[in-house]
Structures are given as C-alpha cells and as structure tokens.
Amino acid sequence: MQNQSKKLILIDGNAIIHRSYHALPPFTTKKGELVNAVYGFASTLISIIGKFQPDYIIASFDLAGPTFRHLEYEQYKATRIKGDDALYAQIPRVKEITRAFGIPIYEVSGFEADDVIGTLAAQANKNIQELETIIVTGDMDTLQLVNDKTKVYTMRRGLTDAAIYGKAEIFERFSLAPEQLIDYKGLRGDPSDNIPGVKGIGEKTAIELLKKYGSLENVYAHLEEIKGAVKDKLEKDKLLAIQSKGLATISKTVPIELDLEKAV
C-alpha cells in the first residue's frame, strides 16, 4: 500500500505553454531562438516541484490533428484563433526539458491532453490506495475531474497567481459539485470551445436548474415542471444540450496505461 503522503502531479503541457507564451516577454537565446514559453514552462515545473514535493510527475500534450470531438461536432473549437507559429515552435524544446527532468510524456492521437490526464487520474484513483493526484493546468476544464483524491492547481493570471481547487472550492465558486460542471456546459455551453449549449440559457438559470434537478438528464426528465420561456428553450435545443454535455465530458477511457514506476 502506498504511503498517504504520496503525490502524483499530472501536467497539462499545452495549457502551461500557452499561458507562458502570453504572460512573458519575448525572451530569446544568444542565437535568437524565442524561448519565453520554454522558460515559463520550466519555471512552472520547478515551482510545482518545490511547492508540492511530488513523488511522481507525468506530462501530457495535445497532438496535431482532429480529436474525436471534432468528428462528433465539426464546429468544435472552430472560433479559436490559431496560435502563433512562434508558440508552436517552442513545443519541441519544452518536451526536451520535460524528458531531461525524467518526466514521461503521455499523448494519444485523436484525444486531447485533458482526456489523457482524465484517464490517468481515474486509473490512479481506482488502482492505487492513498495517492493524491494534482492536475496542473492553465484552464478550468479539468475541474470536472476533482474528487476526494484529485485536485486541480490552475493559474488564474500570468504564471504566479494560482489557486488549488478541491470540491469545496468548486462549490464556493460555482455552487455546483465537480461532476455537475459537464451538465452546466450542456446547458450554458462553452464559448471558448464553441460548445453551443441551449441558446438563451445563461449562467444563473443553468445553475438554478442543476441545483434543483441535479443533472441535465434529470432536467429533461422533469421538463413538464418547468414553465415559460426556459421550457421552450430547453425543448428547442434538447439535442444540442445532450451533444454539448458529451463534448464537454473529459474521456477516462483513453487507450493508455498508468506506469508510476516510470514517473518517479
């Protein structure tokens, strides 16, 4: 059995790279190579090692090409402006540093880094007793993975203003449980990923519905109780709501296997 103090860090590489690139000045090497995202990633990595003293670290990166979400919904992330080539050019250097630290990289074609992280976290939760998992990221999508054994450490502004989210912190901010955040996106949508949700259902209404009914499916099971314009909107966009929840749900069944020994 693992000692209770054991910690596994799961790093969302692309999220940290993007955050670093936009937060830092255009640092270059003596040869003129732009390395601000590399510097930001490395400093973040050193910082989290110091802060959490983890026993294991794994990093995951997005691969080029469509994911299963793009195949299900062609407009997924269609409104995103493509990142600068100068950002993507730094990814090989970031991976070089990651490997130099002895940190294994997990990435799977057709899936996002979030899905890889979700799968590894689920395997750690299920198979390893007394192991705390901390997801390090620059966005909020992985909050749905938070449970008694998993927390999310996310940067709010820049690289130094960060917060750790457990179940209590998520409830304090959203008035919802972590697992309800996918139902919330099913209703509200997510403009950053171009997930549509139900047109005309805002943050307040989505939260009120979920506080009363618990899940998206239960909202529709009690549709007759809901009155007026909200009912009309829900009826009109039912298929979109269900599809949106699916798009927002992080996969926990990516074909990978957690190997903690390689992550020491």
Side-chain angles (χ1 to χ4, degrees):
M1 183 179 288
Q2 300 284 343
N3 184 286
Q4 192 161 6
S5 64
K6 297 278 186 178
K7 287 191 184 78
L8 165 65
I9 297 283
L10 299 174
I11 299 174
D12 183 344
N14 286 74
I16 304 303
I17 289 168
H18 278 80
R19 181 61 60 108
S20 300
Y21 179 80
H22 293 291
L24 296 174
F27 301 146
T28 57
T29 66
K30 289 180 180 178
K31 295 181 179 179
E33 180 185 350
L34 184 66
V35 289
N36 60 340
V38 182
Y39 179 90
F41 182 91
S43 63
T44 299
L45 179 56
I46 292 166
S47 173
I48 62 170
I49 290 172
K51 181 178 179 66
F52 295 111
Q53 297 289 303
D55 300 277
Y56 315 99
I57 308 180
I58 292 171
S60 183
F61 295 87
D62 295 328
L63 291 174
T67 68
F68 72 94
R69 292 180 182 85
H70 294 94
L71 301 179
E72 290 177 14
Y73 182 62
E74 194 177 339
Q75 294 303 305
Y76 179 67
K77 291 191 176 180
T79 53
R80 286 243 182 130
I81 299 170
K82 185 181 180 294
D84 298 342
D85 290 340
L87 181 157
Y88 294 110
Q90 296 183 62
I91 293 177
R93 284 281 190 225
V94 169
K95 290 184 177 181
E96 192 180 332
I97 283 176
T98 304
R99 293 189 181 101
F101 268 84
I103 297 168
I105 294 172
Y106 284 66
E107 44 193 10
V108 182
S109 181
F111 295 91
E112 296 178 50
D114 282 353
D115 300 308
V116 173
I117 286 169
T119 300
L120 293 173
Q123 290 178 12
N125 289 174
K126 181 181 178 183
N127 300 326
I128 304 156
Q129 303 241 351
E130 310 302 343
L131 178 69
E132 181 184 10
T133 300
I134 300 170
I135 298 165
V136 177
T137 183
D139 61 47
M140 310 288 268
D141 292 342
T142 52
L143 291 184
Q144 63 183 268
L145 301 173
V146 167
N147 55 40
D148 290 334
K149 297 176 73 174
T150 301
K151 293 180 179 177
V152 170
Y153 180 73
T154 182
M155 291 78 187
R156 292 179 292 201
R157 283 192 301 272
L159 295 175
T160 55
D161 181 8
I164 192 152
Y165 282 90
K167 291 161 72 173
E169 290 80 9
I170 289 173
F171 188 82
E172 184 180 341
R173 175 160 180 177
F174 299 99
S175 300
L176 297 170
E179 60 271 16
Q180 289 179 300
L181 295 176
I182 53 174
D183 301 283
Y184 173 78
K185 288 192 177 185
L187 291 166
R188 172 73 177 86
D190 184 351
S192 67
D193 287 338
N194 202 37
I195 295 175
V198 177
K199 188 175 181 180
I201 296 290
E203 178 180 339
K204 184 180 176 183
T205 302
I207 290 172
E208 285 175 353
L209 287 168
L210 292 173
K211 284 171 80 171
K212 185 171 183 179
Y213 297 109
S215 69
L216 179 72
E217 291 77 10
N218 214 31
V219 167
Y220 279 101
H222 293 83
L223 196 59
E224 294 308 311
E225 299 175 14
I226 301 167
K227 306 299 180 187
V230 173
K231 179 181 180 181
D232 295 340
K233 291 169 185 174
L234 289 168
E235 283 183 320
K236 183 180 179 183
D237 285 342
K238 180 179 180 180
L239 293 179
L240 271 180
I242 293 167
Q243 185 181 38
S244 294
K245 179 177 176 177
L247 292 169
T249 302
I250 291 174
S251 174
K252 298 177 184 175
T253 57
V254 176
I256 49 169
E257 213 56 54
L258 174 64
D259 187 345
L260 273 188
E261 292 307 309
K262 291 181 179 177
V264 172

PDB file of all heavy atoms in Angstrom, residues 17 19 31 56-57 62 73 81 137-138 157 174 179 220-221 257:
ATOM      1  N   ILE A  17       2.157  25.963 -21.689  1.00  0.00           N
ATOM      2  CA  ILE A  17       2.893  26.613 -22.779  1.00  0.00           C
ATOM      3  C   ILE A  17       2.157  27.864 -23.251  1.00  0.00           C
ATOM      4  O   ILE A  17       2.756  28.934 -23.414  1.00  0.00           O
ATOM      5  CB  ILE A  17       3.093  25.631 -23.960  1.00  0.00           C
ATOM      6  CG1 ILE A  17       4.098  24.545 -23.577  1.00  0.00           C
ATOM      7  CG2 ILE A  17       3.564  26.362 -25.216  1.00  0.00           C
ATOM      8  CD1 ILE A  17       4.143  23.386 -24.556  1.00  0.00           C
ATOM      9  N   ARG A  19      -0.100  29.645 -21.633  1.00  0.00           N
ATOM     10  CA  ARG A  19      -0.101  30.634 -20.568  1.00  0.00           C
ATOM     11  C   ARG A  19       1.263  31.341 -20.501  1.00  0.00           C
ATOM     12  O   ARG A  19       1.341  32.558 -20.361  1.00  0.00           O
ATOM     13  CB  ARG A  19      -0.436  29.942 -19.247  1.00  0.00           C
ATOM     14  CG  ARG A  19      -0.510  30.847 -18.028  1.00  0.00           C
ATOM     15  CD  ARG A  19      -1.581  31.912 -18.180  1.00  0.00           C
ATOM     16  NE  ARG A  19      -2.890  31.357 -18.348  1.00  0.00           N
ATOM     17  CZ  ARG A  19      -3.848  31.388 -17.433  1.00  0.00           C
ATOM     18  NH1 ARG A  19      -3.620  31.947 -16.273  1.00  0.00           N
ATOM     19  NH2 ARG A  19      -5.046  30.898 -17.701  1.00  0.00           N
ATOM     20  N   LYS A  31      21.447  32.940 -29.636  1.00  0.00           N
ATOM     21  CA  LYS A  31      21.330  32.642 -31.070  1.00  0.00           C
ATOM     22  C   LYS A  31      20.036  33.187 -31.669  1.00  0.00           C
ATOM     23  O   LYS A  31      19.781  33.006 -32.862  1.00  0.00           O
ATOM     24  CB  LYS A  31      21.414  31.132 -31.305  1.00  0.00           C
ATOM     25  CG  LYS A  31      22.779  30.544 -30.940  1.00  0.00           C
ATOM     26  CD  LYS A  31      22.812  29.054 -31.227  1.00  0.00           C
ATOM     27  CE  LYS A  31      24.187  28.477 -30.889  1.00  0.00           C
ATOM     28  NZ  LYS A  31      24.240  27.016 -31.136  1.00  0.00           N
ATOM     29  N   TYR A  56       5.700  11.551  -7.919  1.00  0.00           N
ATOM     30  CA  TYR A  56       5.596  11.171  -9.332  1.00  0.00           C
ATOM     31  C   TYR A  56       5.124  12.374 -10.146  1.00  0.00           C
ATOM     32  O   TYR A  56       4.308  13.160  -9.674  1.00  0.00           O
ATOM     33  CB  TYR A  56       4.588  10.029  -9.526  1.00  0.00           C
ATOM     34  CG  TYR A  56       4.720   8.897  -8.536  1.00  0.00           C
ATOM     35  CD1 TYR A  56       3.883   8.829  -7.419  1.00  0.00           C
ATOM     36  CD2 TYR A  56       5.672   7.903  -8.707  1.00  0.00           C
ATOM     37  CE1 TYR A  56       3.993   7.794  -6.495  1.00  0.00           C
ATOM     38  CE2 TYR A  56       5.793   6.858  -7.803  1.00  0.00           C
ATOM     39  CZ  TYR A  56       4.961   6.804  -6.691  1.00  0.00           C
ATOM     40  OH  TYR A  56       5.074   5.780  -5.782  1.00  0.00           O
ATOM     41  N   ILE A  57       5.639  12.479 -11.375  1.00  0.00           N
ATOM     42  CA  ILE A  57       5.158  13.519 -12.300  1.00  0.00           C
ATOM     43  C   ILE A  57       4.999  12.903 -13.690  1.00  0.00           C
ATOM     44  O   ILE A  57       5.859  12.146 -14.161  1.00  0.00           O
ATOM     45  CB  ILE A  57       6.122  14.724 -12.412  1.00  0.00           C
ATOM     46  CG1 ILE A  57       6.477  15.288 -11.039  1.00  0.00           C
ATOM     47  CG2 ILE A  57       5.506  15.819 -13.281  1.00  0.00           C
ATOM     48  CD1 ILE A  57       7.430  16.470 -11.104  1.00  0.00           C
ATOM     49  N   ASP A  62      -1.163  17.949 -26.267  1.00  0.00           N
ATOM     50  CA  ASP A  62      -2.051  17.729 -27.403  1.00  0.00           C
ATOM     51  C   ASP A  62      -1.212  17.375 -28.632  1.00  0.00           C
ATOM     52  O   ASP A  62      -0.108  17.904 -28.811  1.00  0.00           O
ATOM     53  CB  ASP A  62      -2.855  18.996 -27.719  1.00  0.00           C
ATOM     54  CG  ASP A  62      -3.814  19.383 -26.606  1.00  0.00           C
ATOM     55  OD1 ASP A  62      -4.328  18.475 -25.920  1.00  0.00           O
ATOM     56  OD2 ASP A  62      -4.056  20.589 -26.431  1.00  0.00           O
ATOM     57  N   TYR A  73     -18.614  16.809 -33.743  1.00  0.00           N
ATOM     58  CA  TYR A  73     -19.163  18.157 -33.917  1.00  0.00           C
ATOM     59  C   TYR A  73     -18.127  18.982 -34.680  1.00  0.00           C
ATOM     60  O   TYR A  73     -17.132  19.412 -34.126  1.00  0.00           O
ATOM     61  CB  TYR A  73     -19.474  18.789 -32.550  1.00  0.00           C
ATOM     62  CG  TYR A  73     -20.093  20.175 -32.618  1.00  0.00           C
ATOM     63  CD1 TYR A  73     -21.332  20.386 -33.229  1.00  0.00           C
ATOM     64  CD2 TYR A  73     -19.435  21.274 -32.041  1.00  0.00           C
ATOM     65  CE1 TYR A  73     -21.894  21.655 -33.274  1.00  0.00           C
ATOM     66  CE2 TYR A  73     -19.998  22.544 -32.082  1.00  0.00           C
ATOM     67  CZ  TYR A  73     -21.231  22.733 -32.704  1.00  0.00           C
ATOM     68  OH  TYR A  73     -21.786  23.985 -32.755  1.00  0.00           O
ATOM     69  N   ILE A  81      -8.820  31.300 -32.491  1.00  0.00           N
ATOM     70  CA  ILE A  81      -7.796  31.848 -33.378  1.00  0.00           C
ATOM     71  C   ILE A  81      -6.541  31.001 -33.216  1.00  0.00           C
ATOM     72  O   ILE A  81      -6.089  30.738 -32.106  1.00  0.00           O
ATOM     73  CB  ILE A  81      -7.495  33.322 -33.020  1.00  0.00           C
ATOM     74  CG1 ILE A  81      -8.767  34.157 -33.203  1.00  0.00           C
ATOM     75  CG2 ILE A  81      -6.360  33.871 -33.860  1.00  0.00           C
ATOM     76  CD1 ILE A  81      -8.658  35.567 -32.650  1.00  0.00           C
ATOM     77  N   THR A 137      -2.588  22.918 -14.541  1.00  0.00           N
ATOM     78  CA  THR A 137      -3.116  23.359 -15.830  1.00  0.00           C
ATOM     79  C   THR A 137      -3.246  24.880 -15.861  1.00  0.00           C
ATOM     80  O   THR A 137      -2.981  25.553 -14.873  1.00  0.00           O
ATOM     81  CB  THR A 137      -4.480  22.682 -16.103  1.00  0.00           C
ATOM     82  OG1 THR A 137      -4.954  23.078 -17.398  1.00  0.00           O
ATOM     83  CG2 THR A 137      -5.509  23.049 -15.044  1.00  0.00           C
ATOM     84  N   GLY A 138      -3.654  25.384 -17.004  1.00  0.00           N
ATOM     85  CA  GLY A 138      -3.874  26.820 -17.139  1.00  0.00           C
ATOM     86  C   GLY A 138      -5.320  27.146 -17.438  1.00  0.00           C
ATOM     87  O   GLY A 138      -5.665  28.297 -17.689  1.00  0.00           O
ATOM     88  N   ARG A 157      -4.050  34.247 -13.334  1.00  0.00           N
ATOM     89  CA  ARG A 157      -3.485  35.332 -14.146  1.00  0.00           C
ATOM     90  C   ARG A 157      -1.983  35.132 -14.196  1.00  0.00           C
ATOM     91  O   ARG A 157      -1.348  34.906 -13.157  1.00  0.00           O
ATOM     92  CB  ARG A 157      -3.800  36.705 -13.547  1.00  0.00           C
ATOM     93  CG  ARG A 157      -5.207  37.193 -13.773  1.00  0.00           C
ATOM     94  CD  ARG A 157      -5.355  38.680 -13.416  1.00  0.00           C
ATOM     95  NE  ARG A 157      -4.997  38.918 -12.029  1.00  0.00           N
ATOM     96  CZ  ARG A 157      -5.851  38.816 -11.018  1.00  0.00           C
ATOM     97  NH1 ARG A 157      -7.091  38.461 -11.238  1.00  0.00           N
ATOM     98  NH2 ARG A 157      -5.451  39.057  -9.773  1.00  0.00           N
ATOM     99  N   PHE A 174     -18.876  27.918  -7.946  1.00  0.00           N
ATOM    100  CA  PHE A 174     -19.926  27.637  -8.932  1.00  0.00           C
ATOM    101  C   PHE A 174     -21.258  27.210  -8.318  1.00  0.00           C
ATOM    102  O   PHE A 174     -22.244  27.067  -9.043  1.00  0.00           O
ATOM    103  CB  PHE A 174     -19.459  26.537  -9.896  1.00  0.00           C
ATOM    104  CG  PHE A 174     -18.232  26.886 -10.689  1.00  0.00           C
ATOM    105  CD1 PHE A 174     -16.988  26.431 -10.290  1.00  0.00           C
ATOM    106  CD2 PHE A 174     -18.317  27.684 -11.823  1.00  0.00           C
ATOM    107  CE1 PHE A 174     -15.846  26.751 -11.011  1.00  0.00           C
ATOM    108  CE2 PHE A 174     -17.181  28.011 -12.544  1.00  0.00           C
ATOM    109  CZ  PHE A 174     -15.937  27.547 -12.140  1.00  0.00           C
ATOM    110  N   GLU A 179     -18.775  17.067 -10.654  1.00  0.00           N
ATOM    111  CA  GLU A 179     -19.385  16.256 -11.709  1.00  0.00           C
ATOM    112  C   GLU A 179     -20.547  16.967 -12.407  1.00  0.00           C
ATOM    113  O   GLU A 179     -20.971  16.558 -13.500  1.00  0.00           O
ATOM    114  CB  GLU A 179     -19.836  14.904 -11.163  1.00  0.00           C
ATOM    115  CG  GLU A 179     -20.868  14.969 -10.056  1.00  0.00           C
ATOM    116  CD  GLU A 179     -20.271  15.073  -8.659  1.00  0.00           C
ATOM    117  OE1 GLU A 179     -19.076  15.405  -8.527  1.00  0.00           O
ATOM    118  OE2 GLU A 179     -21.024  14.821  -7.690  1.00  0.00           O
ATOM    119  N   TYR A 220     -34.374  17.297 -18.085  1.00  0.00           N
ATOM    120  CA  TYR A 220     -35.293  16.906 -19.169  1.00  0.00           C
ATOM    121  C   TYR A 220     -36.341  15.888 -18.705  1.00  0.00           C
ATOM    122  O   TYR A 220     -37.454  15.859 -19.234  1.00  0.00           O
ATOM    123  CB  TYR A 220     -34.500  16.376 -20.365  1.00  0.00           C
ATOM    124  CG  TYR A 220     -33.954  17.514 -21.214  1.00  0.00           C
ATOM    125  CD1 TYR A 220     -32.629  17.905 -21.115  1.00  0.00           C
ATOM    126  CD2 TYR A 220     -34.796  18.225 -22.059  1.00  0.00           C
ATOM    127  CE1 TYR A 220     -32.140  18.974 -21.865  1.00  0.00           C
ATOM    128  CE2 TYR A 220     -34.326  19.296 -22.813  1.00  0.00           C
ATOM    129  CZ  TYR A 220     -33.005  19.672 -22.712  1.00  0.00           C
ATOM    130  OH  TYR A 220     -32.536  20.741 -23.444  1.00  0.00           O
ATOM    131  N   ALA A 221     -36.009  15.105 -17.696  1.00  0.00           N
ATOM    132  CA  ALA A 221     -37.000  14.169 -17.136  1.00  0.00           C
ATOM    133  C   ALA A 221     -38.131  14.901 -16.429  1.00  0.00           C
ATOM    134  O   ALA A 221     -39.238  14.374 -16.289  1.00  0.00           O
ATOM    135  CB  ALA A 221     -36.314  13.194 -16.179  1.00  0.00           C
ATOM    136  N   GLU A 257      -1.921   3.208 -20.293  1.00  0.00           N
ATOM    137  CA  GLU A 257      -1.800   2.532 -19.013  1.00  0.00           C
ATOM    138  C   GLU A 257      -0.860   3.315 -18.118  1.00  0.00           C
ATOM    139  O   GLU A 257       0.271   3.626 -18.494  1.00  0.00           O
ATOM    140  CB  GLU A 257      -1.231   1.116 -19.258  1.00  0.00           C
ATOM    141  CG  GLU A 257      -1.727   0.030 -18.314  1.00  0.00           C
ATOM    142  CD  GLU A 257      -3.240  -0.122 -18.277  1.00  0.00           C
ATOM    143  OE1 GLU A 257      -3.882  -0.307 -19.323  1.00  0.00           O
ATOM    144  OE2 GLU A 257      -3.771  -0.056 -17.139  1.00  0.00           O
TER     145      GLU A 257
END
